[in-house]
Amino acid sequence: MPRPTKKEPLAQSSGKRPVRSLRITMPTAPIASPAPSHAAAKPVTEEDVNKLSISDLTIDTPLRPLLRPQRVPATPFHFLSLPSELRIKIYAYFFADIPTLLDLNPDNYKRIHKKLGLMRVCKQVHDEATYAFYSTRTFRLFPTYPIRLFKKKPLLARLKPHQRQCLTSLELRLGISWNAPPKLWAVNPALGLRDCGDVTKLKVYIDFDPSDITWKDFRAEGFYEGFCGRLMTSVIEELPSVDTVEFDARPCVKKSGDMMQALISVAQEAGVAIEWGPDGHWNDSELYETRLTASGFLAKCLCFLGNDL
């Protein structure tokens, strides 16, 4: 017969099921290695920060891929090791696009100022480039264009004394404002002619001759001729090194006119050589005779306005 099993005691009459103990296992994460200690790290210095490039300090798109690689020669070119003759030719080529005649012009800053930055390289280049530039250009004594610059300080007076010492030629342009010359057209110490010790040639350019009979009713008799003569005399007296005066003019100016004769007399009295420039045809033909004709009047008006015939 089967052996009777022992019955378990019944639960209490509370009506609740017996509660068994549950064992809940929580997932475990891998144990991370301990963070390195910063105590032994080398402190960041200002020198380390200065070595960082701008791309390393940018949180946006790095700038390094956008930069063009610079071509750096393996060894720098020693410009000053070249012979002086070659350096002078290089200076002449560098300044070739600057006009040989300079006046007080609003465009000088755009055309000339940037080029003169070459003189800031070093003392030797400064001295060589300064002489190469100023000795090969003619500077106008008094501004003539535009008219608003008549009241401005002349370009020669704006130069420094060591720059004026390099000049070799100056230009005196006459024939404008013949009823009322600008007050600044005067020779005085502020003009700086005493510093121009190397100037050997004075160029005199005549735009217009008011002594022509055509303009008899528009001018004071002999006033402008006398003014130009005195002005030229004062310039030559301040420049004892001048040995040549070069006259040039527009085709409408006659060599036999009163104004030209007055200027020629000043040059002869100063004992300097006289040369004639390429622009003046010195045409004393019938077109420029003293009688007033329709064609002659038109030609002289065009000359007065500054147009070559």
Side-chain angles (χ1 to χ4, degrees):
M1 292 182 64
R3 187 178 180 180
T5 59
K6 187 176 180 181
K7 295 183 180 179
E8 296 180 0
L10 297 175
Q12 298 180 0
S13 59
S14 60
K16 296 181 180 180
R17 298 180 61 182
V19 179
R20 296 181 179 180
S21 61
L22 299 177
R23 184 177 181 182
I24 301 175
T25 304
M26 297 297 294
T28 58
I31 301 176
S33 59
S37 176
H38 296 281
K42 183 180 179 180
V44 179
T45 62
E46 184 178 356
E47 183 179 359
D48 297 334
V49 176
N50 294 334
K51 291 180 180 179
L52 294 175
S53 62
I54 186 64
S55 59
D56 296 331
L57 305 176
T58 306
I59 60 176
D60 297 331
T61 304
L63 300 179
R64 188 175 300 277
L66 304 180
L67 296 177
R68 293 182 179 180
Q70 297 182 357
R71 297 180 58 186
V72 180
T75 56
F77 177 74
H78 298 283
F79 176 74
L80 295 179
S81 64
L82 292 174
S84 58
E85 295 81 2
L86 289 180
R87 294 201 301 269
I88 292 174
K89 291 184 178 181
I90 293 175
Y91 295 139
Y93 177 80
F94 182 76
F95 295 123
D97 58 341
I98 299 179
T100 56
L101 177 61
L102 297 180
D103 193 0
L104 191 60
N105 194 305
D107 296 333
N108 285 349
Y109 182 82
K110 297 179 181 180
R111 297 185 306 167
I112 304 175
H113 182 73
K114 294 181 179 180
K115 289 281 188 177
L116 299 184
L118 174 66
M119 302 174 185
R120 302 177 182 177
V121 174
C122 66
K123 186 178 185 304
Q124 183 174 350
V125 173
H126 172 272
D127 296 341
E128 294 176 351
T130 298
Y131 185 80
F133 176 76
Y134 289 97
S135 64
T136 56
R137 265 120 190 117
T138 300
F139 282 74
R140 189 167 291 163
L141 284 172
F142 305 105
T144 58
Y145 179 84
I147 297 178
R148 65 182 179 87
L149 294 177
F150 285 177
K151 298 181 180 180
K152 299 292 184 179
K153 188 178 180 180
L155 179 60
L156 182 65
R158 297 169 183 261
L159 299 181
K160 297 180 180 179
H162 75 274
Q163 295 170 340
R164 290 193 289 260
Q165 292 172 1
C166 299
L167 301 181
T168 58
S169 65
L170 297 173
E171 186 195 73
L172 177 63
R173 199 170 186 120
L174 303 171
I176 55 177
S177 298
W178 35 274
N179 273 332
K183 295 182 179 180
L184 291 179
W185 284 34
V187 177
N188 50 42
L191 190 58
L193 288 178
R194 293 291 180 90
D195 298 327
C196 304
D198 289 344
V199 174
T200 58
K201 176 178 286 189
L202 175 64
K203 299 181 179 181
V204 181
Y205 194 97
I206 298 90
D207 273 313
F208 180 72
D209 184 5
S211 65
D212 193 283
I213 194 175
T214 307
W215 315 106
K216 182 177 180 181
D217 297 332
F218 302 94
R219 64 180 177 86
E221 188 71 25
F223 166 74
Y224 193 69
E225 297 88 325
F227 169 79
C228 293
R230 292 189 298 270
L231 184 62
M232 181 176 169
T233 301
S234 301
V235 171
I236 294 179
E237 290 178 351
E238 292 291 322
L239 297 173
S241 58
V242 169
D243 55 14
T244 304
V245 173
E246 179 186 285
F247 289 107
D248 207 349
R250 297 187 181 274
C252 60
V253 178
K254 297 187 300 181
K255 188 185 299 185
S256 59
D258 293 343
M259 182 172 176
M260 278 302 307
Q261 289 299 312
L263 298 177
I264 293 174
S265 299
V266 172
Q268 291 175 346
E269 293 176 0
V272 297
I274 297 177
E275 295 181 355
W276 305 100
D279 288 352
H281 301 285
W282 313 114
N283 194 340
D284 290 339
S285 63
E286 294 181 358
L287 179 63
Y288 301 103
E289 284 296 330
T290 55
R291 68 175 183 270
L292 181 60
T293 62
S295 59
F297 181 76
L298 177 60
K300 293 170 184 177
C301 287
L302 291 176
C303 177
F304 175 70
L305 294 176
N307 298 317
D308 290 335
L309 298 178

